[in-house]
């Protein structure tokens, strides 16, 4: 959920440029929620001073919130050709998504956006056209690295522009804001060229069908699979809309030139098993993606059988292990061979390990380092590394921190309101008013709704209504929860002195407490409980 805001000018006359506008994905702690978006109330208040949104690259955690949040800002958006084309293609999948005026920037381009003098520097990552951003100001220079690694053979697009980074280092960088994802990993991340070789070997050794699952936006990986297929006399079939979309976009931009054509799903049926490689969506275990459907025998036209191979050319994002594990187990049960990055060189990360970080620090030699893009352990490891390579000052900035970068000394000077918004069905809300907190409680312990009718003297009139949602039917003694709750309601009303039964709220609260504690006694859990008192 990356979103950075850079400001220039005195507090009463400051312009802002947003760098990236990403999403995060909800886990089971937010039941029913699709996406998590950054809370941008601070930016909304400063909207008149916001000159634009600059996107570093086309990963969801960097540009995925644009369609949902742009209508609150309505400022120009800047992206490279691949990001712009992929974003436009994604629009077809998002009903009601706004038309966003987008200016296309080239890697290496320098231009001004409002008072900001920016330059995009090509880096390497795990998709085409990733960029670092250099800000030049009269008070000094600031480098925002974005997501990067050092890959001199990235298999698509240009490699990281080390010459330009070295020149920028010589020009002088005061502050570097840098990727921490792999700051705890020693050494260097392998190149996409190593993955291409490993992929070819796996495919060459396979006797029957091969399916490779990847992150859809990883065009280098798509190229590597296509090259390996060509060399082993196989054809590539695309299974899944997300990869189809990326192949269409990358093809239009010339990124798949020189490769044999990709085949659609229909070809899978008639190609002999040793003549096909399938590129499959769903590497994170997404239940509606092609891989899950195939693994659980639910795909309309594609099946795998004993002796086939599935290559997991991706990293499982924390939180998705169970879903991916279920798919791998289903495949193994069918006799399908599984290849992961533990078995062969078929995946590499798009983020810098420690030696790459050290190399960039040597090239740039910033006066100040600000570690970003990582969990606290990654940020801490990055900070320690930056100090160890001689960076004089490291500033740790938590979410919402307002850091004065220039003139120095760089330090946290204030905090902006920040947080998350949840996208829940078709609504975007702060979690407190989304109902999701209550929904989580209901999902854990169910709910009870009770309606009682009292007359003027405080006597129960007729039957009262009890509805249970998500409770067990009976307790360990065999008593139905419905009966137990009913008994508690009756007993509670009778135990309240008649005078006090005139107070509806007092009666409702007494019943609520008694019911929750009676259920807790039998079940060890307290359901949500809603009591309505009616009078006749
Ligand atoms: Zn990324
Ligand atoms: Zn990222």
């Amino acid at each position: 959920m990356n979103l950075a805001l850079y400001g220039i000018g005195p507090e009463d006359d400051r312009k802002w440029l947003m760098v990236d506008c990403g999403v995060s994905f909800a886990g089971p702690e937010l039941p029913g929620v699709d996406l998590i978006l950054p809370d941008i109330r601070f930016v909304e208040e400063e909207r008149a001073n916001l000159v634009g949104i600059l996107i570093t690259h086309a990963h969801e955690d960097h540009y995925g919130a644009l369609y949902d949040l742009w209508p609150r800002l309505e400022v120009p958006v800047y992206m490279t050709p691949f990001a712009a084309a992929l974003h436009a293609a994604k629009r077809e999948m998002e009903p009601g998504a706004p038309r966003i005026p987008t200016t296309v920037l080239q890697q290496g381009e320098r231009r001004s956006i409002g008072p900001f003098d920016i330059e995009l520097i090509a880096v390497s990552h795990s998709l085409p056209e990733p960029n670092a951003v250099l800000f030049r100001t009269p008070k000094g220079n600031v480098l925002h690295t974005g997501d990067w690694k050092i890959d001199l053979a990235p298999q698509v697009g240009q490699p990281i522009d080390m010459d330009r980074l070295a020149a920028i280092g010589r020009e002088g960088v005061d502050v570097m804001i840098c990727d921490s994802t792999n700051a705890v990993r020693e050494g260097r991340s392998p190149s996409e060229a190593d993955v291409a070789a490993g992929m070819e070997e796996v495919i060459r050794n396979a006797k029957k069908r091969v399916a490779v699952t990847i992150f859809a936006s990883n065009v280098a990986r798509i190229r590597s699979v296509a090259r390996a297929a060509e060399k082993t006399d196989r054809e590539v079939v695309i299974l899944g809309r997300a990869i189809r979309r990326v192949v269409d976009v990358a093809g239009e931009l010339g990124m798949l030139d020189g490769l044999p054509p990709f085949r659609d799903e229909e070809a899978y049926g008639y190609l002999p098993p040793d003549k096909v490689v399938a590129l499959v969506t769903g590497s994170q275990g997404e239940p509606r993606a092609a891989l899950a459907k195939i693994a659980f025998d639910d795909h309309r036209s594609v099946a795998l059988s004993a002796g086939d191979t599935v290559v997991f050319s991706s990293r499982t994002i924390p939180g998705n292990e169970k879903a991916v594990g279920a798919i791998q187990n289903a495949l193994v049960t069918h006799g399908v061979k599984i290849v992961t990055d533990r078995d062969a060189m078929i995946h590499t990360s798009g983020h810098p390990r420690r030696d790459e970080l050290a190399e960039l620090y040597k090239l740039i030699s910033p006066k100040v380092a600000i570690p970003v893009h990582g969990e606290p352990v990654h940020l801490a490891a990055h900070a320690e590394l930056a100090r160890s390579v001689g960076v004089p000052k490291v500033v740790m900035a938590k979410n919402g921190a307002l850091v004065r970068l220039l003139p120095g000394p760089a330090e946290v000077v204030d905090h902006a309101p920040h947080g998350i918004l949840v996208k829940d069905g078709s609504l975007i809300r702060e979690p407190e008013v989304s109902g999701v907190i209550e929904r989580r409680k209901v999902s854990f312990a169910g709910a009870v709704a009770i309606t009682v009718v009292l007359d003027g003297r405080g006597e129960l009139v007729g039957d009262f209504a009890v509805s249970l949602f998500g409770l067990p039917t009976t307790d360990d003694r065999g008593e139905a929860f419905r009966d137990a709750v009913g008994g508690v309601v009756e007993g509670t009303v009778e135990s309240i002195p008649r005078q006090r039964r005139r107070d509806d709220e007092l009666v409702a609260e007494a019943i609520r407490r008694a019911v929750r504690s009676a259920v807790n006694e039998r079940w060890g859990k307290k359901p949500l409980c809603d009591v309505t008192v009616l009078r006749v």
Side-chain angles (χ1 to χ4, degrees):
M1 199 167 55
N2 295 286
L3 189 158
L5 202 60
Y6 287 90
I8 284 187
E11 202 166 351
D12 57 355
D13 182 26
R14 187 171 289 161
K15 297 291 182 208
W16 301 99
L17 177 66
M18 188 186 292
V19 175
D20 290 337
C21 185
V23 291
S24 175
F25 296 93
E29 75 286 359
L30 296 171
V33 170
D34 305 313
L35 287 178
I36 303 175
L37 310 168
D39 181 342
I40 57 165
R41 78 183 83 167
F42 176 82
V43 196
E44 284 178 79
E45 277 173 23
E46 287 288 321
R47 193 175 108 156
N49 298 315
L50 183 69
V51 297
I53 303 172
L54 173 63
I55 301 296
T56 60
H57 67 287
H59 273 153
E60 292 296 320
D61 63 321
H62 292 261
Y63 87 156
L66 273 179
Y67 281 131
D68 287 318
L69 297 184
W70 184 85
R72 301 173 180 215
L73 303 171
E74 294 188 322
V75 296
V77 174
Y78 301 84
M79 298 188 237
T80 62
F82 178 75
L86 197 60
H87 197 247
K90 221 179 79 168
R91 195 166 175 276
E92 290 160 28
M93 304 287 289
E94 308 232 357
R99 284 197 183 282
I100 299 178
T102 301
T103 303
V104 174
L105 301 183
Q106 300 299 328
Q107 289 190 289
E109 188 171 338
R110 180 174 174 181
R111 65 165 291 157
S112 45
I113 301 174
F116 295 88
D117 174 357
I118 61 116
E119 178 181 337
L120 294 185
I121 302 116
V123 291
S124 307
H125 189 36
S126 47
L127 85 179
E129 298 173 359
N131 297 281
V133 184
L134 180 70
F135 294 89
R136 288 183 177 85
T137 81
K139 299 218 160 48
N141 295 344
V142 173
L143 182 64
H144 176 102
T145 67
D147 293 4
W148 67 279
K149 68 184 279 189
I150 296 176
D151 193 339
L152 301 175
Q155 308 300 299
V156 66
Q158 54 178 315
I160 181 169
D161 194 342
M162 298 301 273
D163 292 345
R164 190 75 202 118
L165 287 166
I168 286 166
R170 286 192 297 275
E171 184 181 330
V173 170
D174 296 277
V175 185
M176 184 160 92
I177 293 98
C178 181
D179 183 350
S180 308
T181 312
N182 281 344
V184 294
R185 300 188 70 178
E186 296 295 340
R188 294 177 168 272
S189 56
S191 163
E192 283 292 336
D194 302 325
V195 173
M199 193 74 75
E200 188 184 330
E201 193 184 329
V202 168
I203 294 174
R204 194 177 293 284
N205 290 335
K207 301 277 179 292
K208 297 173 79 181
R209 294 186 188 90
V210 181
V212 183
T213 185
I214 60 168
F215 273 117
S217 58
N218 195 332
V219 176
R221 213 59 65 80
I222 293 173
R223 284 190 62 93
S224 297
V225 169
R227 278 268 177 258
E230 189 183 25
K231 288 184 188 166
T232 55
D233 195 24
R234 291 174 181 251
E235 293 202 56
V236 178
V237 175
I238 293 170
L239 303 178
R241 271 180 302 188
I243 297 179
R244 180 80 253 173
R245 190 158 66 225
V246 171
V247 164
D248 289 345
V249 165
E252 293 262 314
L253 295 170
M255 292 175 178
L256 301 175
D257 289 357
L259 294 173
F262 292 81
R263 310 288 295 267
D264 277 324
E265 196 174 308
E266 299 73 53
Y268 184 88
Y270 62 75
L271 287 168
D274 63 345
K275 294 283 176 248
V276 59
V277 176
L279 268 173
V280 190
T281 55
S283 65
Q284 297 306 310
E286 302 93 325
R288 283 170 297 186
L291 183 65
K293 288 186 179 167
I294 294 168
F296 300 120
D297 277 332
D298 199 21
H299 199 281
R300 58 175 180 256
S301 56
V302 173
L304 289 168
S305 47
D308 292 343
T309 303
V310 174
V311 182
F312 285 81
S313 181
S314 59
R315 184 184 70 107
T316 303
I317 293 172
N320 297 336
E321 295 92 346
K322 269 192 177 176
V324 173
I327 286 173
Q328 294 182 341
N329 283 322
L331 292 169
V332 168
T333 305
H334 284 97
V336 172
K337 185 184 170 199
I338 284 176
V339 179
T340 71
D341 62 355
R342 291 185 299 273
D343 311 309
M345 184 60 236
I346 44 84
H347 178 63
T348 182
S349 164
H351 300 276
R353 294 192 192 173
R354 295 178 69 82
D355 288 357
E356 294 162 86
L357 284 167
E359 187 173 341
L360 188 67
Y361 275 111
K362 211 173 137 201
L363 220 51
I364 300 297
S365 39
K367 299 189 184 89
V368 177
I370 304 183
V372 295
H373 203 288
E375 293 166 23
V377 276
H378 307 133
L379 303 180
H382 185 167
E384 170 265 313
L385 181 143
R387 288 188 195 102
S388 76
V389 296
V391 179
K393 189 174 171 69
V394 177
V395 176
M396 302 303 272
K398 293 198 174 109
N399 286 337
L402 199 62
V403 186
R404 189 192 56 238
L405 301 175
L406 293 164
E411 60 184 346
V412 177
V413 291
D414 204 351
H415 291 272
H418 71 283
I420 65 168
L421 300 170
V422 296
K423 186 169 188 187
D424 178 25
S426 58
L427 301 179
I428 296 170
R429 293 285 184 274
E430 287 154 30
E432 307 82 60
V433 295
S434 69
V436 73
I437 294 165
E438 202 164 69
R439 196 181 310 159
R440 183 171 61 204
K441 288 183 188 157
V442 173
S443 77
F444 176 72
V448 178
I450 296 159
T451 305
V452 297
V453 184
L454 300 178
D455 65 16
R457 294 173 303 134
E459 296 289 343
L460 277 167
V461 178
D463 283 342
F464 45 85
V466 174
S467 304
L468 309 180
F469 304 93
L471 269 71
T473 319
T474 58
D475 66 16
D476 259 354
R477 295 186 298 253
E479 187 183 10
F481 272 93
R482 178 174 301 281
D483 297 342
V485 170
V488 169
V489 172
E490 212 158 353
T492 305
V493 172
E494 275 159 19
S495 73
I496 303 171
R498 205 171 288 277
Q499 278 297 88
R500 308 187 65 190
R501 285 189 216 163
R502 296 202 180 123
D503 183 342
D504 289 3
E505 264 178 43
L506 183 145
V507 173
E509 181 58 18
I511 294 173
R512 202 181 72 84
R513 282 168 179 271
V515 166
R516 276 162 56 88
S517 112
V519 172
N520 186 39
E521 206 175 281
R522 289 164 172 81
W523 186 24
K525 289 183 168 195
K526 289 182 179 174
L528 247 69
C529 184
D530 183 64
V531 182
T532 307
V533 176
L534 299 175
R535 294 281 172 178
V536 291

